[in-house]
Structures are given as structure tokens and as C-alpha cells.
Amino acid sequence: LMLFESLLKIMILSKKEGKVQGNKIKFAVSIGVGEYVNGMTTDDLVDAADEAMYKVKAGGKNDFEFYSLFEK
């Protein structure tokens, strides 16, 4: 639950406009979260998070997605 709340906070903060040298900028955030399953390597976990992130990007960005090996 804490992870979900943290992701929501990041998404809310990313919706605010910023300024860099007087120029308005907008942020687009795509977050992928991989679920660790016992026996996974670090590379496996990063691959799972990457898979989730690319799902978000394909869906229009500004969101987060969870990915589990059980989805395969």
C-alpha cells in the first residue's frame, strides 16, 4: 500500500508545470514496477520493470504499471 501511495504522489507532483530559465516545462512520467519473485536475478527484476514501463509508454505515458512474471 505504501508503494501505491508513493506512486500516486509522484504522479500528482509530475502534473505541476515547472520553469527552467523562464520557460514553462511539463513533465511526462512513465513508471514501471517489477514484482520480485523468489529466485529472480537483478536482471530479471529490471526486465520486469522495463516491461511495465513500456506498457505505460504505449498507453500514452503519465501513468504507472505493475508487472509480474505470473502475467506471462
Side-chain angles (χ1 to χ4, degrees):
L1 186 60
M2 286 178 45
L3 174 61
F4 184 73
E5 290 171 352
S6 296
L7 291 170
L8 286 177
K9 286 179 185 177
I10 291 169
M11 299 309 299
I12 290 167
L13 289 172
S14 72
K15 302 240 184 267
K16 295 184 178 184
E17 289 186 355
K19 279 192 174 185
V20 175
Q21 297 179 344
N23 299 311
K24 286 184 181 179
I25 59 171
K26 291 185 178 182
F27 301 94
V29 178
S30 300
I31 302 172
V33 180
E35 178 185 7
Y36 177 78
V37 178
N38 208 10
M40 287 177 83
T41 65
T42 304
D43 287 339
D44 293 336
L45 186 55
V46 169
D47 288 345
D50 277 349
E51 181 79 24
M53 181 189 63
Y54 288 116
K55 280 176 139 178
V56 171
K57 288 184 175 195
K61 302 180 183 176
N62 284 324
D63 205 355
F64 57 89
E65 181 79 36
F66 293 90
Y67 182 83
S68 170
L69 289 176
F70 298 113
E71 293 179 18
K72 284 189 169 182

